[in-house]
Each structure stands twice: as C-alpha cells, then as structure tokens.
Amino acid sequence: MSPRLQFEGISKEFPAVRALSDVSFSVGAGEIHGLLGENGAGKSTLLRILSGVYRPTAGSVLIDGKPVTLNNPVAARAAGVAMIHQELQQVPRLSVAQNMFLGHPLTRGSIFVARREQERRAAEALAAIDPTIDPAAPLGSLKVAQRQIVEIGRALLDRARIVAMDEPTSSLTPSEFERLAEVIARLARDGVAVVYVSHKLDEVFGICQRATIMRDGVVVGSVDLAQVSEKAVVSMMVGRELAQEQHRSHASAEIRLSVRGLASPTKVHDVSFDLHRGEVLGIAGLVGSGRTELLRLLAGADRASSGAVEIDGKAVKLSSPRDAIAAGIGLVPEERKREGIVPLRSISNNMALASMGVFAPRGVIDHTRLKRVAAEKMKRVNLRPFLLDRPIRLFSGGNQQKAIIGRWLAAGTRILLFDEPTRGIDVGAKAEIYHLIEELAAEGHSVIVVSSELPEVIRLADRVLVMRDGTVAAELGRASLSEQAIAAHAIPQTEIEAGKAQGHRAGA
Amino acid sequence: MTDITQHTAARPRADFLHRFSVRDAGTLIGLVVILAVFGALVPGFFAERNLINILQQSSINACLALGMTLVIISGGIDLSVGPTAALSAVISASMLVAGVPFPLAIAAGFAIGLACGLLNGVLVAYVGLQPFIVTLGTLSTYRALALIYTGGNPVLGLPAGFRAIFNGSLFGLPLAVVIVAVVALIAWIILKKTPFGEYLLAVGGNEEAAYIAGVPIARTKIAAYMISGLLAALAAQILIGRLGAAEPILGNLWELDAIAAAAIGGASLMGGKGSVVGTILGAVILGSMRNGLTLMNVQSFYQLLATGLIILAAMLIDRVTRGRG
C-alpha cells in the first residue's frame, strides 16, 4: 500500500535562494510524523508547498500514491490537506462555528448562511475532541489551546486526510499540551497522516513515531524516534555537536534590585524578592501565573497598584517604560514582532531607539556616533549577517533578539528582563542567547529570565522563583533545582488533588 | 569593528546615495516622465515662467502635505487641514482688517493652527480615538467655527502691506516657494536627524514596541498633529496674502491633495514609512500635471481623472516593486 503522503524530489527556488533541494520522504496513514530543523531549514517552505501557497520548482506531492497538483490553498484543501498554523488564522469576533466554516459557509443552495446547521455540524465535529466548546460562542472568548482544537475540528469537518501542524504548542501549558496530544493521537487513529513541526524536541519524541530532519533545504534523514537519542537528533539539525554547558554563577552579594509587596490590579499579588548584581534570576510558573505581568510592572509597561521597588537602595517610581529605562531597567519582550522590533527600521535604528537622548545630546542625532556604537554592540551580540542598515524584519528571530539585547546595552541598562528569551528561536541561536545572558551577568548586569521551558531556566538561573496565581509560591536555590521541584510548586494544589491534569484552568 | 566604521565614514558619496532612497528615485523618475510628456506636448511648458508657476501652484499643497506626511508616518491621518487653514485664515484676516499689526495677526493664525492640531492630537493620543474619525469630526467642527465666526461671509480688504509680504520674491522665486522650501528642509532635518523623527517612524512602525523602548508615544503623536495644524495655518497665510481675502470655505478638499502627494511620495497609510523628498516630488507631480493639462485646455473632468490615475499608478508601482507588504 502506498503511503498517505509522499514528497518526491521537491525543490523550490526563489530568486537568489534555493529554499528546498530534492526533498523526499513519506508519511503513512495514521502516522504522526515530526518535521524538525532550525529556522531557515526549509520546513515552512515545505508546508507552504503542501498547503498550496507555493508551487515547487521541481518534484511532486503524492497523496495515496497519486500525484496531486496543489496550485492554491483551495486545491490543497480539496485534496484533503488541512494546515494548522502557528499564528492561528482565525477571526476572533466570529463564532466558533463561523470560523470552522470560514471561506466556505454552508448555504444549502440558498443565498443565506444556514447558521443553525453550521453550528450543529460544528458541534458534531467538536464532540469527538472537546465537547466543552460551544460552537455559538465567539472564538475570541476561547483560550489559545481551545482555539487550536477548533482548528483541528475544522480539519475533521473538511474530512482532511493530511493534517500539517506548525508549532501548535508554542503557547500552551503542559496540561493543555497533553490534551492536544490526545486529540492528535485520535486523528491518527482515524487514519489521518499528521505532519508535526515543533522546536520542542521532547514533544516530538513524546507524540511522533518517526521524524524527518531538515537542514539548509535538504533532508538530513528520516529516523525512527524510538531508536535515536535527542542528542543525535539535535546534532543532525545543527550539523555539529552542541557542547553541553556547565552553569556558572556570577552573582555577588550586592543587592541591585529590591522588590517589596509588588502588586498589579489583577494578575500580580504581593511579590517580594531581591536581585543581586551579576545574578541570573529565573522565574518559572505556568502561563497565566503572572510572570509576564510581573516583568511588565518592573519594565514600567504597566502600573503597579501597590508595592515598592528599590534600585541600589534608592526608591524608584516605575510609571512608564521611560522611568524604568532611566532607572536602568530594560525589557526584552516575549512577542518580538509585536513588542520588540520596529520592522521597517534598520538594525542600527532599532538598537538606538531607547537611547536617542544619548545619540542626540544637542537635539540632532550624531549618526557617526550611532553607527560606531551600533557596530560595537552588534559585534558584541554577534549579529549575523552583519548588516547594520538592513531593515530588522529581514533578520531571523534570533538575530532580531540580539538587536533588542543590543538596544539595552546601548542604553546602559543594568537590569535586563527577558520574557521567554528563546521563543521561536532555533537551536543554534538559542545557545548563543544563553551565552550572551551569561556573559552579561559576568559583566555585572543583573538578569531576570522568565521561561516556560524548564531546561532553559535550569540551564541559566542561579536561583528560581516559582510563581503561582500571581504570587511567589517558592524560591529554589541551585542545589534544589530540578524540573520536578519547579513543577511541584507551579501547579495549583487543586489540580494535583484532581489527579491527572484534566481540563485544568490554571491559564485563566 | 574599526574597519566597519572607517568604511562607512570614508564614503560620503555612497552615504548621500543611500539617503536618497530607491523609492524617492522612483518618484523622481515619475516626475521626469510627466515633465517630458508635457514638454513634448505643450509649447512653452519648459519656459522659466511656467516652471516657476508650477512651483508656486504646488507650494500650498506641498506645505500641507509635509505636515500630513509626518502625521501619516506616525500612523495617523489629518483630514482637518482644510478647515484648520480656513479658521486660521478668517481669524488672521479679521484681525488684519481691524488694524492689528501684521506679526500679531499672523501669530494668532499660527496659534489657531497649533490649537487645532493640539485638539486632534490629544483626542488621538490621550483619549485613544481613531485618527480618521477624530479628524473627520474636527473637519466639520473647524469648518463650522470658521463659518459661524464670519457669518459665512468672506473677510475682504486685507491691507496691501500684508499682501506684499507673501507676494514678494527672493532669489527670483516667489516668496511662497522659498518659504515652503525652507519648511521642507526643516521637515527633512526633523525626520532624518532628530530623535523626534525617529520616534515618529517608530510609533507608526510599531507603537507597542516603541512604548516598551521608552518612546514618548503621546507627545510624539500630538507634536505631529500640531505641526500639521501649524503648516495648515502657514498655507492659509500664503493663500490669503495672494488673494487679499479670506473665505470661510477656503481649503475645501485640501486634505485629499495633501494625502495624495504624501502617498505618491511613498508614505504608507499603515504608518512607519514616508519621505519628505518624496512628498515634495509628489506635490510637484500633481502641480505640473494640473498645469500641463490646463495649458492643453483639457477639461477639468479629465484633470480629475488624471489625478486619480496618477495616485493609483503610484500605488501599483509601489506594490509591484515592494512585493507584499
């Protein structure tokens, strides 16, 4: 029997770039197949070919052994391919059912949309995977995890034979992920071929049977995940062995930042801690536990309702980002595209944005000086390619992140707040960001790292605060640091009592 | 690192070319093509007098369009420039007629422009209303104030001394053209050389990121609207100086020409993008087209058609050369 999905010698050339070169592999019916590779390896291009957005320059896609022409997204959908994007392509104001029928509303031959019937069929499709979702509810009222499930429901509705998922879990909590994993497993049991793209290797190992690893537009290999180690897969992805780094602490006894009883109107309650000079403080906790909100308070992006903050023993008021920057605090936000970069501006200009006063002491920007500092800071963070006048949007996520770090270095920031520092950044660049954070600490910067990836927290932090329901539930020193210890404090007690993480609401 | 700085510092010519962006070059080519076509079709089009005429006819729109460009770059739009100009015009004019000294009357006109811009800016930046709706509302409001103030009648009989100021010439160019050239130079410096210019581009390019980076969002936006109001007032002074009278309905639909010039020059209504050089070229493109078509005795209906097609062509070229985005 021929495989459900087969790529045969797929190549894709763009002007000046060869994005894919002779890519071949296959996915059987009922198989969950991981697709791994660094950013720029060609995964997204391949998925775009599968979903009809791009046409391959050479090669063909076969479904159930028959070559199919996927000239546009409609054709791909008709051929049984459903694509679930990383950034969900949904309309929040429309209902769940309307979203599931988006683009081909059910009219039953009349000029009117049969809303009731849409909702009935949507409910039918959702019943199998998550009966708690109300098809008539506005999609915007659902959590991200449920929205993912709605997308899968839509694939069921379309009777998709192939479901491709691009980083579906990047913003899910562990228990939400488990729920999603169950749904994916159910899809596979029904004979759907699932192509699963993720940066998180543990997930891929957890739910996929086989995986194909890509690098620089070619397939490095397809492996049976039961027979290889994560380490082997990583070196296939990166093309070299990534050195395992030992943690080194640079924390001094000197207290730089002191937070007492800090609270926001809604999400943060009575948070107190100290941050030392040269220290990397990790903040762990589930999504929604108030970590991001705490960072935003410290960065002046949101206003605290009560509490006191001292820097070097002096009380500071943080009522705007300007205040925070003046006090020496800078935020490297989680959502780089939305809160970090000004896409059309160059690397230099993005870097200089927070320290314009320094570059324009007499009101006119000293471009010579700006260029010199940009060259220095971008060299420091190892920007690649080293093109300071190029718009930042043309750089990879990792290099955009480096530019944002450079922004704070140029502004003379002494306290750096990182929210999910390596979200959406590939393995190689990740290691560079880790290095950079350690070097900054070694130079005497104080760093706070909020992360959902426990290995990341453990790799970087000298000390970890675990947040739960808006407050600090535990403080763990290096000696007592483990994924189990963090998880035990991060998960609300009620959930532990309820047993296995079923339908938990900690994200609310 | 050192070799990089030396590299850039040692190449002033490349630096100049770099500043004159590809997009501006495109607008310039558009202008050259239009001039060439009219030069071939219209005898006397290239006569010095006619070229000066074109500049003079473009100057008021260019003045407004410069302010509009800054507002558009900040991610906003200012539909109220025409009525702002009218309000400024009738107040300056009635003061002049009442015998108030010129500098004071002109200053009052500028103050009106700044105040109109301030109100727009505050409603956008602090109240958080959408710029299109805010300035649509003030478009009617300012116009109504101008009409109510004058009872709907024009203010006639401006002193000859005042008229002489704006009808004079400098270096053989009408003073209005010189004034607008100076304004353009200042706008260019603001956009390219000052933190405020960088803030405008950042606020329009990504407001959330600009906020996190410590950019004073509200101040930046309000300043953009105030500059737009001020330049509308300046345009008003130039116009009433030329006409010798101020009508409360002056400046009807000015906002559309100003937006057109900015857009032809490469400003994106999504914000974060725009060029002073481009806007000036855009205003001259519109001006020379009207001039050429008038000299050819083309009906005004067709002039309107040509304006529309030029805007659409500019946007299409933008789209094709920029790809998606």
Side-chain angles (χ1 to χ4, degrees), chain A residues 301 322 337-338 341 356 365, chain B residues 192-193 198 206 209 211 214 216:
Chain A
R322 282 181 89 74
K337 273 202 191 121
R338 206 169 65 78
I341 63 167
M356 273 299 162
I365 298 171
Chain B
K192 291 278 181 186
K193 301 265 181 197
E198 198 58 46
N206 186 347
Y211 175 65

Side-chain angles (χ1 to χ4, degrees), chain A residues 2 26 43 89 119 124 134 192 205 210 215 256 280 290 310 323-324 332 339 349 360 391 393-394 412 437 461 508:
Chain A
S2 42
S26 60
K43 296 167 301 185
Q89 307 199 328
E119 281 170 18
E124 225 172 73
D134 172 12
V192 173
F205 273 85
R210 289 198 310 143
R215 189 173 72 230
R256 169 137 297 158
V280 180
E310 283 182 1
D323 287 354
V332 181
E339 302 173 325
N349 286 317
R393 71 189 171 94
L394 301 176
I437 290 175

Side-chain angles (χ1 to χ4, degrees), chain A residues 135-211:
Chain A
L139 188 97
S141 68
L142 268 53
K143 289 196 289 172
V144 178
Q146 288 177 309
R147 292 200 198 178
Q148 296 273 14
I149 293 189
V150 169
E151 282 286 275
I152 295 172
R154 179 173 162 166
L156 289 178
L157 210 58
D158 289 349
R159 307 199 187 291
R161 291 180 289 170
I162 294 157
V163 172
M165 309 182 85
D166 189 5
E167 298 269 353
T169 63
S170 56
S171 50
L172 303 192
T173 64
S175 59
E176 285 171 338
F177 165 68
E178 279 182 31
R179 181 95 192 88
L180 184 70
E182 278 171 34
V183 171
I184 295 172
R186 184 190 297 266
L187 280 181
R189 274 200 300 280
D190 293 342
V192 173
V194 180
V195 179
Y196 189 89
V197 175
S198 175
H199 274 116
K200 299 183 185 167
L201 283 183
D202 50 339
E203 281 179 15
V204 172
F205 273 85
I207 67 174
C208 301
Q209 291 95 45
R210 289 198 310 143

Side-chain angles (χ1 to χ4, degrees), chain A residues 257-479:
Chain A
L257 173 77
S258 169
V259 176
R260 290 293 173 270
L262 196 64
S264 76
T266 51
K267 294 266 185 104
V268 179
H269 315 292
D270 193 24
V271 170
S272 302
F273 64 90
D274 289 331
L275 175 67
H276 296 255
R277 186 171 187 279
E279 182 180 34
V280 180
L281 177 68
I283 297 185
L286 301 176
V287 173
S289 61
R291 305 169 311 178
T292 296
E293 290 76 10
L294 174 62
L295 283 198
R296 285 182 63 90
L297 292 182
L298 293 174
D302 294 328
R303 293 226 198 155
S305 52
S306 63
V309 178
E310 283 182 1
I311 293 176
D312 293 331
K314 282 199 244 5
V316 288
K317 240 177 96 78
L318 304 171
S319 45
S320 72
R322 282 181 89 74
D323 287 354
I325 293 163
I329 302 178
L331 172 66
V332 181
E334 171 180 3
E335 289 188 54
R336 216 165 15 255
K337 273 202 191 121
R338 206 169 65 78
E339 302 173 325
I341 63 167
V342 182
L344 294 175
R345 304 299 288 157
S346 69
I347 288 281
S348 302
N349 286 317
N350 268 282
M351 182 215 72
L353 196 55
S355 40
M356 273 299 162
V358 179
F359 293 115
R362 280 183 297 279
V364 175
I365 298 171
D366 180 350
H367 277 285
T368 316
R369 179 162 168 206
L370 193 156
K371 286 222 162 97
R372 198 187 62 232
V373 174
E376 179 193 318
K377 299 302 177 196
M378 290 306 116
K379 189 111 185 161
R380 169 82 183 75
V381 298
N382 193 17
L383 180 83
R384 278 193 318 262
F386 197 81
L387 299 168
L388 304 179
D389 292 329
R390 199 182 196 208
I392 195 169
R393 71 189 171 94
L394 301 176
F395 286 79
S396 69
N399 283 291
Q400 291 177 356
Q401 191 76 318
K402 291 178 196 169
I404 303 293
I405 295 172
R407 171 188 291 171
W408 297 125
L409 296 182
T413 305
R414 294 170 309 158
I415 300 170
L416 282 149
L417 314 176
F418 287 90
D419 196 358
E420 303 285 1
T422 61
R423 160 91 22 110
I425 290 176
D426 55 48
V427 187
K430 226 173 185 170
E432 282 190 74
I433 301 281
Y434 290 165
H435 258 292
L436 202 51
I437 290 175
E438 281 168 341
E439 285 173 14
L440 292 175
E443 287 166 13
H445 289 86
S446 302
V447 180
I448 299 182
V449 175
V450 161
S451 177
S452 297
E453 292 184 42
L454 297 183
E456 178 165 299
V457 176
I458 291 170
R459 160 86 165 72
L460 288 171
D462 301 326
R463 189 161 57 102
V464 173
L465 301 180
V466 184
M467 287 193 71
R468 187 175 69 216
D469 300 330
T471 192
V472 177
E475 182 185 324
L476 302 171
R478 213 48 237 152

Side-chain angles (χ1 to χ4, degrees), chain A residues 217-235:
Chain A
V218 300
V219 170
V220 184
S222 289
V223 295
D224 187 339
L225 290 172
Q227 284 164 21
V228 291
S229 69
E230 276 197 31
K231 213 176 146 200
V233 169
V234 169
S235 57

